[in-house]
């Protein structure tokens, strides 16, 4: 009727737990986790708790508390997860990139940079979710200057929503929301973002022309798209994009490259 035990678990990707547990988890790099698993079991429904857990996923360190409840129309996963260290490279398998996961395929072609691996939307209706996530320290390359990340993830009947979605980027911040309707074929997406006080010289430290540019960028974006992978979604995106730079200077080489 009940469980109370300490659990240690490791594997090549959390997505491989789906056939065993029935819990929809993303493709990840190799992971190992340890925590306290409790459960109250019943014929009409059960409640599982995985509390005080710590996990290494690729090179990232995670911790938190989650609960998994069955008995309603769909099981539901809820909880809070924090990352003391988050490597952006470890997020690549979540969106179909190659990253460091052994389960993610290589890009479709060598001249393409956007992931073409389709989202596993067939699993999205297997359960609902309500999880908050925050990363205090982010390890990134010079081309993607993200300092912090936090979001509230809700999965409801096959629709995934990240709202609010917050990034600390290049000394400024980006706030918005992302919604993906996994029940549509092809999948429908909507994105709203507002960027404030992004410092131009910090946007790409690996690009010399960017380092010699000064000033700040503010902007807003509202896009809708259709597609089953990142490349298709961005390739079909339409909407509005507004950017404003005030009292700044941009390298002429940067403008020529952008043109």
């Amino acid at each position: 009727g009940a469980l109370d035990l300490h659990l240690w678990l490791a594997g090549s990707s959390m997505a491989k737990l789906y056939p065993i547990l029935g819990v929809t988890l993303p493709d990840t790099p190799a992971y190992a986790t340890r925590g306290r698993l409790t459960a109250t079991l019943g014929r009409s429904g059960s409640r599982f708790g995985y509390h005080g857990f710590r996990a290494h996923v690729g090179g990232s360190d995670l911790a938190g508390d989650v609960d998994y409840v069955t008995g309603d129309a769909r099981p539901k996963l809820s909880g809070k997860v924090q990352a003391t260290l988050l490597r952006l490279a470890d997020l690549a398998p979540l969106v179909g990139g190659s990253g460091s996961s052994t389960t993610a395929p290589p890009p479709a072609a060598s001249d393409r940079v956007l992931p073409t691996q389709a989202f596993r939307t067939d699993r999205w209706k297997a359960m609902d979710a309500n999880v908050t996530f925050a990363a205090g320290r982010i390890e990134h390359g010079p081309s993607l200057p993200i300092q912090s990340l936090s979001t509230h993830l809700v999965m409801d009947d096959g629709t995934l929503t990240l709202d609010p979605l917050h990034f600390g980027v290049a000394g400024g911040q980006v706030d918005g929301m992302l919604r993906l309707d996994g029940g549509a074929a092809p999948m429908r997406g909507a994105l709203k973002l507002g960027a404030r006080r992004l410092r131009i010289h910090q946007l790409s430290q690996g690009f010399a022309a960017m380092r010699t540019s000064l000033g700040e960028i503010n902007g807003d974006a509202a896009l809708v798209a259709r597609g089953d992978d990142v490349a298709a979604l961005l390739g079909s995106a339409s909407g509005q994009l507004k950017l404003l730079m005030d009292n700044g200077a941009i390298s002429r080489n940067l403008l020529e490259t952008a043109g």
Side-chain angles (χ1 to χ4, degrees), residues 112-201:
R112 305 295 182 185
V113 297
L114 296 177
T116 57
Q117 173 72 1
F119 289 96
R120 297 184 180 182
T121 55
D122 57 312
R123 298 182 175 184
W124 288 12
K125 287 195 174 186
M127 57 171 257
D128 292 339
N130 189 323
V131 178
T132 59
F133 176 81
R137 179 186 163 208
I138 295 182
E139 183 180 298
H140 58 80
S143 61
L144 201 59
I146 298 178
Q147 286 93 34
S148 61
L149 166 65
S150 62
T151 190
H152 179 200
L153 181 152
V154 174
M155 182 84 78
D156 183 22
D157 195 19
T159 297
L160 173 66
T161 304
L162 301 178
D163 186 13
L165 178 61
H166 173 80
F167 296 94
V169 181
Q173 62 183 31
V174 177
D175 294 287
M177 63 80 63
L178 170 67
R179 178 175 290 110
L180 298 174
D181 182 1
M187 182 171 61
R188 292 195 299 265
L191 174 68
K192 293 183 179 179
L193 292 177
R196 297 295 181 267
R197 305 182 68 87
L198 305 188
R199 297 174 184 173
I200 297 176
H201 71 280

Side-chain angles (χ1 to χ4, degrees), residues 43-86:
R43 294 185 177 181
S44 59
S46 301
R47 184 181 189 93
F48 298 84
Y50 190 43
H51 295 163
F53 75 83
R54 300 189 65 86
H56 297 285
V57 182
S60 302
D61 294 323
L62 308 178
D65 302 278
V66 294
D67 292 283
Y68 185 69
V69 180
T70 67
D72 291 332
R74 293 178 301 277
K76 185 171 184 178
L77 179 73
S78 59
K80 295 182 178 180
V81 179
Q82 302 86 35
T84 53
L85 171 63
L86 177 65

